Amino acid sequence: MNQPLRDETDFRALVGDVKPLAQKNRADTGDARKRPSEAQLARRERAEAEIDEHNFLSDDFVDLIPPFDPIEYRREGIQQGVVDKLKHGGYPVQAQLHLLRRPLAECRRLVFPFIQDAYAHDLRSVLIVHGRGCEIDSPANVLRSYIGKWLIQFDEVQAYISAQPSEGGLGATWVMLRKSDRAKANNRERQQKRRG
């Protein structure tokens, strides 16, 4: 007897007279997922309205950036070396925001708290993945143009630049945030301890 037949025979001998379970013998996982109640929907709408109330990002007209042009910005006083290091991945990705295939209004609602939360948690380099269209008026390229406009509106943003091809290329943007007052104080304290 060859090996596969012997294995099959051994298996049947071990299993014996086991019979498969009937199809109707399944666990009851409860009712199908219920929809949110009216109160939950109202709370959600109120929270979104509250966020939108503080959101200063403009959704007015934007000059569309050509699809194959990188985007870059640095505030006055920021050295070109910092931007170059950011562009070439010299800083670790501390947080990412993925906006692929999302409507513009939703992206506006997501970018605002993302940048503010990153700054509040002392993050310095974040990556926003937004996609890039091949046509100047494709939705991904429109979003990319708005990202460039929105990031300038944040005081916390020191610089931004299109990512390298390995990190998303023109479909992603590196953002460098300034140090918070708390991070500056911690840095001063470390310097003082080192000097003795």
Side-chain angles (χ1 to χ4, degrees):
M1 183 181 287
N2 63 15
Q3 185 65 29
L5 284 175
R6 187 170 340 126
D7 291 344
E8 179 73 22
T9 307
D10 291 344
F11 177 75
R12 287 182 188 223
L14 287 172
V15 173
D17 58 350
V18 174
K19 296 178 186 167
L21 294 173
Q23 288 294 335
K24 61 185 174 194
N25 189 9
R26 292 183 177 249
D28 180 18
T29 58
D31 295 340
R33 188 171 182 180
K34 296 180 181 177
R35 296 187 180 266
S37 69
E38 287 185 34
Q40 289 171 323
L41 290 173
R43 281 194 301 269
R44 190 176 299 162
E45 286 177 22
R46 193 174 13 177
E48 287 176 359
E50 196 173 296
I51 289 172
D52 283 344
E53 184 178 304
H54 299 292
N55 191 341
F56 54 76
L57 299 179
S58 169
D59 57 358
D60 294 340
F61 175 78
V62 66
D63 290 323
L64 295 178
I65 300 168
F68 298 101
D69 287 358
I71 60 175
E72 180 176 344
Y73 168 79
R74 68 182 168 112
R75 290 209 187 276
E76 195 173 310
I78 302 301
Q79 297 174 353
Q80 185 61 41
V82 171
V83 177
D84 291 343
K85 187 175 177 182
L86 182 66
K87 179 180 182 177
H88 297 294
Y91 298 102
V93 178
Q94 294 177 312
Q96 288 186 21
L97 176 63
H98 291 268
L99 300 174
L100 295 172
R101 295 181 196 89
R102 293 181 187 255
L104 189 63
E106 183 181 351
C107 293
R108 181 179 171 267
R109 276 196 312 268
L110 293 172
V111 167
F112 183 75
F114 175 73
I115 295 295
Q116 293 201 325
D117 288 347
Y119 178 73
H121 289 93
D122 295 330
L123 303 182
R124 296 293 313 280
S125 56
V126 297
L127 186 67
I128 299 177
V129 180
H130 43 72
R132 176 189 60 87
C134 293
E135 302 295 325
I136 195 160
D137 60 348
S138 68
N141 196 54
V142 171
L143 174 59
R144 187 168 79 100
S145 300
Y146 271 102
I147 291 291
K149 180 181 180 178
W150 290 337
L151 291 174
I152 292 172
Q153 296 174 356
F154 285 99
D155 291 334
E156 295 87 356
V157 173
Q158 287 185 323
Y160 65 81
I161 193 161
S162 294
Q164 290 294 308
S166 62
E167 298 158 335
L170 297 176
T173 301
W174 273 103
V175 181
M176 173 63 72
L177 302 175
R178 67 180 169 88
K179 283 185 182 177
S180 68
D181 293 335
R182 180 177 56 229
K184 286 179 186 176
N186 288 342
N187 196 25
R188 272 194 299 284
E189 189 175 311
R190 272 196 310 264
Q191 296 295 331
Q192 290 292 349
K193 286 181 181 177
R194 193 170 10 162
R195 289 180 188 150

